[in-house]
Amino acid sequence: MDVKRILGFLSGIAANNNRTWFQEHKAEYDWCKKDFEADIARFIAAIGIQDPSVVHLKPKDACYRFYRDVRFSPDKSPYKRHFGAYVCAKGKKSLHAGYYIHVQPGQCLISAGAYWLPTNILTSCRNEIMGNIDEWRRCVENGAFVHNFGYAGEGKWAEDESLSDKGFGFSHLKTAPKDFPRDYEFIDYLRMKDYACWHRVDDDFFEGEAWIPKAVRMLLTAKPMMDFTNSVIDDYE
């Protein structure tokens, strides 16, 4: 993709997040949206070679709306400041773990896993981890996963410049979850409120098409973790 042009547009909307400016630059938005979606189509095809569950997806199944729902938000800015796509076998609105691409000036990243899981599903995931801790550790403590995403609890997630370079678990409980043993040896995995990992990349990472095989290689190291959690999540969908 022409990421420089896309980031230029996103920088503009960040500084002028209003309908007048957007309408004046609507043609540029349309071009950037089309370019982004074209590369998401290529990404789906590439990662689908190793994960056939996503090959049926089209960009519209993965790419998020650029228009914000402001009904319940104190921030009434009408437009997002990024382009994002969630490549998930059951669709972008599903709880099923998937692959996420995020393009935003100074905050570009790739991510994998399941986010915002309801409490009942989180509890089931925690029980599954405790019951199969050796398998879980093989998924998230092997060299490739740790190299790309780190260990649980190491990274810092925030929607601003304080985002760490990599991390596993966007948010965590301060103590053990209710009805789980506080002295459990691997309590960090039970304190996690999601099972998603991320790797921050430079803005020029997405330039051209060379980013696609690099992102695929990195994200596939998270697939065993995703398969583990999806075996639980999919019982509820």
Side-chain angles (χ1 to χ4, degrees):
M1 72 180 79
D2 188 342
V3 76
K4 292 180 181 178
R5 185 169 175 177
I6 291 174
L7 292 172
F9 168 78
L10 292 172
S11 295
I13 198 67
N16 306 275
N17 204 310
N18 59 76
R19 290 179 176 82
T20 299
W21 189 92
F22 182 79
Q23 289 303 318
E24 291 174 351
H25 297 81
K26 182 64 163 52
E28 183 67 2
Y29 163 74
D30 290 339
W31 188 95
C32 292
K33 177 176 180 288
K34 183 177 180 180
D35 190 49
F36 178 75
E37 291 179 349
D39 259 24
I40 294 303
R42 297 182 185 101
F43 172 76
I44 292 170
I47 204 161
I49 295 172
Q50 297 297 322
D51 185 353
S53 71
V54 302
V55 295
H56 65 285
L57 298 173
K58 305 297 183 185
K60 66 180 178 62
D61 303 315
C63 295
Y64 288 107
R65 282 170 48 86
F66 194 65
Y67 305 88
R68 297 182 65 247
D69 183 351
V70 301
R71 290 174 299 171
F72 308 108
S73 173
D75 179 4
K76 299 304 181 182
S77 302
Y79 308 106
K80 295 178 180 176
R81 299 165 178 82
H82 66 272
F83 282 159
Y86 186 48
V87 178
C88 171
K90 296 191 175 183
K92 60 191 173 190
K93 295 183 179 180
S94 170
L95 296 173
H96 186 91
Y99 312 98
Y100 179 63
I101 305 298
H102 185 94
V103 176
Q104 182 176 1
Q107 297 184 52
C108 292
L109 61 84
I110 58 176
S111 177
Y115 187 46
W116 286 115
L117 292 175
T119 301
N120 61 328
I121 300 181
L122 268 177
T123 299
S124 293
C125 286
R126 289 161 176 159
N127 282 320
E128 190 73 13
I129 288 170
M130 284 192 70
N132 300 275
I133 188 60
D134 290 340
E135 179 185 351
W136 176 253
R137 292 182 66 200
R138 284 193 291 271
C139 293
V140 301
E141 293 182 9
N142 65 79
F145 184 93
V146 172
H147 173 74
N148 288 320
F149 306 111
Y151 291 101
E154 279 192 332
K156 181 179 180 183
W157 168 259
E159 293 183 355
D160 55 33
E161 291 75 10
S162 64
L163 174 66
S164 63
D165 288 341
K166 59 185 178 181
F168 179 33
F170 291 144
S171 56
H172 306 76
L173 297 171
K174 292 182 178 180
T175 60
K178 184 180 179 181
D179 299 327
F180 285 85
R182 290 174 176 266
D183 60 350
Y184 182 59
E185 182 180 1
F186 304 104
I187 192 64
D188 281 348
Y189 295 131
L190 308 187
R191 291 175 52 243
M192 297 171 70
K193 296 169 69 175
D194 59 77
Y195 293 100
C197 54
W198 75 89
H199 189 113
R200 191 171 182 171
V201 297
D202 294 334
D203 285 358
D204 60 2
F205 176 86
F206 290 108
E207 185 64 35
E209 296 181 22
W211 72 270
I212 296 174
K214 290 188 289 185
V216 167
R217 286 194 298 271
M218 193 180 302
L219 291 170
L220 285 176
T221 64
K223 187 174 182 298
M225 179 271 292
M226 293 168 53
D227 291 342
F228 187 106
T229 54
N230 278 333
S231 70
V232 178
I233 295 167
D234 289 350
D235 288 341
Y236 293 83
E237 290 198 313

